[in-house]
């Protein structure tokens, strides 16, 4: 059995991952309404990744004999007035999620829960990639987004993203 504090944080993370998926679907809807289908695609794929992260936490809790507790998923409250807005919010959100993962790891470390620490290693690496992707996308928007041709090319680039399921085995 897992340490009670670690299990509670893992359960909380399920909700945070589902919120992330919900948030990114909201971003995708915003971009669809703006006619930026490539940006919308990028965030739909991002939402799929976040949903799968939640499923990995669920499976880990089940594998360790823990009860999974679902809480209400908060409604995204942001509204945007520019194509840059969701990208900046996404980058900030990824930094927030990284902090949550680090907090779970610190709790597991304190509890000497080495199995959970090993499980979280994949998420720590993943969050580094998520932050880098969000930062790169924001920088590309700042460099090219004010130019119609640049925005068109960036939108086309983002439209090519396809979903790939995580390779973490539990």
């Amino acid at each position: 059995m897992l340490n009670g504090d670690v299990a509670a944080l893992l359960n909380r993370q399920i909700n945070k991952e589902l919120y992330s998926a919900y948030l990114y679907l909201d971003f995708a809807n915003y971009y669809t309404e703006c006619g930026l289908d490539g940006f919308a695609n990028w965030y739909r794929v991002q939402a799929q990744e976040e949903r799968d992260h939640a499923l990995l936490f669920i499976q880990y809790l089940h594998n360790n004999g823990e009860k999974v507790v679902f809480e209400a998923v908060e409604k995204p409250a942001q509204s945007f007035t520019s194509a840059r807005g969701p990208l900046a919010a996404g980058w900030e959100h990824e930094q927030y999620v990284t902090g949550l993962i680090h907090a779970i790891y610190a709790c597991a470390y304190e509890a000497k829960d080495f199995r959970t620490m090993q499980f979280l290693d994949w998420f720590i690496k993943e969050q580094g990639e998520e932050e880098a992707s969000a930062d790169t996308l924001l920088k590309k928007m700042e460099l090219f987004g004010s130019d119609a041709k640049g925005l068109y090319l960036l939108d086309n680039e983002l439209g090519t993203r396809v979903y790939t399921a995580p390779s973490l085995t539990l």
Side-chain angles (χ1 to χ4, degrees), residues 14-29:
I14 293 166
N15 181 270
K16 297 301 183 182
E17 297 293 340
L18 292 172
Y19 172 78
S20 297
Y22 202 40
L23 179 68
Y24 293 149
L25 287 174
D26 191 49
F27 292 0
N29 287 336

Side-chain angles (χ1 to χ4, degrees), residues 74-165:
E74 183 181 343
K75 176 183 176 184
Q78 298 169 318
S79 61
F80 302 105
T81 57
S82 74
R84 182 189 179 282
L87 301 178
W91 183 65
E92 290 172 10
H93 183 73
E94 289 300 340
Q95 292 176 314
Y96 168 71
V97 172
T98 298
L100 295 172
I101 299 295
H102 288 176
I104 301 168
Y105 195 96
C107 186
Y109 179 81
E110 196 171 302
K112 294 185 169 55
D113 182 350
F114 303 112
R115 184 174 43 207
T116 298
M117 290 165 53
Q118 183 179 26
F119 168 71
L120 292 171
D121 284 343
W122 182 88
F123 286 95
I124 290 170
K125 181 177 182 275
E126 174 72 7
Q127 278 310 120
E129 293 169 6
E130 296 284 3
E131 283 189 36
S133 292
D135 183 50
T136 298
L137 189 51
L138 184 57
K139 285 177 181 171
K140 284 183 178 182
M141 177 58 97
E142 290 170 351
L143 287 170
F144 309 116
S146 61
D147 174 68
K149 290 177 187 171
L151 183 60
Y152 175 80
L153 291 172
L154 185 53
D155 189 56
N156 281 337
E157 175 187 327
L158 298 178
T160 64
R161 185 179 187 200
V162 294
Y163 175 70
T164 306

